[in-house]
Amino acid sequence: MKNILIINGHQKYDSSEGRLNQTLMDTMVGFLSEKNQVKTSILQQGYNVAEEQQKFIWADMVIYQTPIYWFSVPGLLKTYMDQVYAYGLFFKGSDQYGKGGLLTGKKYMFSVTWNAPEKAFNDRAQFFRGADLEEAIRHLHRAQEFIGLQPVKSFACYDVVKNPQIDTFTSALIAHLEEVVND
């Protein structure tokens, strides 16, 4: 049994209500709660920084469920990281930059939703110039590495505005979780 923190980093805009990200989070909670202890944070509903920090200390694994807006996480999730990732609790100074993470022995996963089609990745002729998902979100991985977390393979839903396939997305997510969480 693992302690798993799932963070819904969706930020509402007129054109984006967040139903898909909440559906994916609900799918995770339902599936993972069968064999694990699960806590959640829905950033759009507000949060207490000290409580969030304690959730990270408690967690064996952190899962970020988030849309990708303009090639990064929403501003609300970035602000959360800025406020919650505290010096002395999540990281400290070290002789080598980036080697002072204090959350070692813990894992994390990104579950992301993109409006980009899947074919835009892994093809040098497409927009991401051959980059795969992990390379496209490398900057997000670096922030987690900085605090000591270890990655598991990320999950992505593509083309979510023009071609939403909710049943396919949730089935694929469960298969992914079986592979990377319930090992």
Side-chain angles (χ1 to χ4, degrees):
M1 180 173 291
K2 295 179 180 144
N3 294 335
I4 301 174
L5 170 60
I6 304 172
I7 300 167
N8 183 339
H10 183 268
Q11 184 171 350
K12 290 183 182 182
Y13 293 104
D14 291 342
S15 62
S16 180
E17 294 180 28
R19 287 190 306 263
L20 175 57
N21 280 273
Q22 188 60 52
T23 296
L24 294 170
M25 182 177 183
D26 292 344
T27 299
M28 283 187 246
V29 170
F31 176 74
L32 294 172
S33 292
E34 293 175 11
K35 296 181 181 177
N36 304 281
Q37 296 291 323
V38 176
K39 292 185 180 182
T40 61
S41 297
I42 301 172
L43 304 189
Q44 191 69 52
Q45 295 176 356
Y47 56 89
N48 175 287
V49 170
E51 288 174 12
E52 295 304 307
Q53 290 169 336
Q54 289 309 305
K55 288 179 185 179
F56 272 84
I57 301 304
W58 167 86
D60 299 311
M61 177 176 225
V62 178
I63 300 175
Y64 300 90
Q65 177 58 57
T66 184
I68 298 296
Y69 292 158
W70 291 104
F71 314 104
S72 194
V73 296
L76 184 61
L77 179 52
K78 174 60 171 85
T79 298
Y80 173 89
M81 291 176 185
D82 290 344
Q83 293 174 334
V84 173
Y85 293 12
Y87 182 84
L89 187 61
F90 283 29
F91 64 95
K92 64 180 180 180
S94 102
D95 292 339
Q96 184 178 356
Y97 185 80
K99 298 296 183 185
L102 298 173
L103 298 182
T104 57
K106 298 172 183 280
K107 296 182 178 182
Y108 75 93
M109 181 185 104
F110 280 106
S111 175
V112 296
T113 58
W114 290 81
N115 191 36
E118 188 170 9
K119 67 183 179 181
F121 298 86
N122 299 308
D123 180 345
R124 290 200 161 288
Q126 295 286 331
F127 181 80
F128 289 101
R129 297 183 179 103
D132 65 6
L133 170 65
E134 303 297 6
E135 180 67 19
I137 61 171
R138 185 175 68 169
H139 62 292
L140 302 175
H141 286 300
R142 290 297 167 258
Q144 307 320 304
E145 180 183 349
F146 194 86
I147 62 174
L149 297 177
Q150 297 296 310
V152 299
K153 187 170 93 175
S154 299
F155 176 78
C157 299
Y158 301 98
D159 209 11
V160 300
V161 174
K162 290 182 252 171
N163 190 21
Q165 299 179 26
I166 308 307
D167 292 340
T168 300
F169 295 158
T170 56
S171 295
L173 176 59
I174 289 171
H176 183 85
L177 293 171
E178 286 177 339
E179 177 186 338
V180 301
V181 177
N182 289 339
D183 47 7

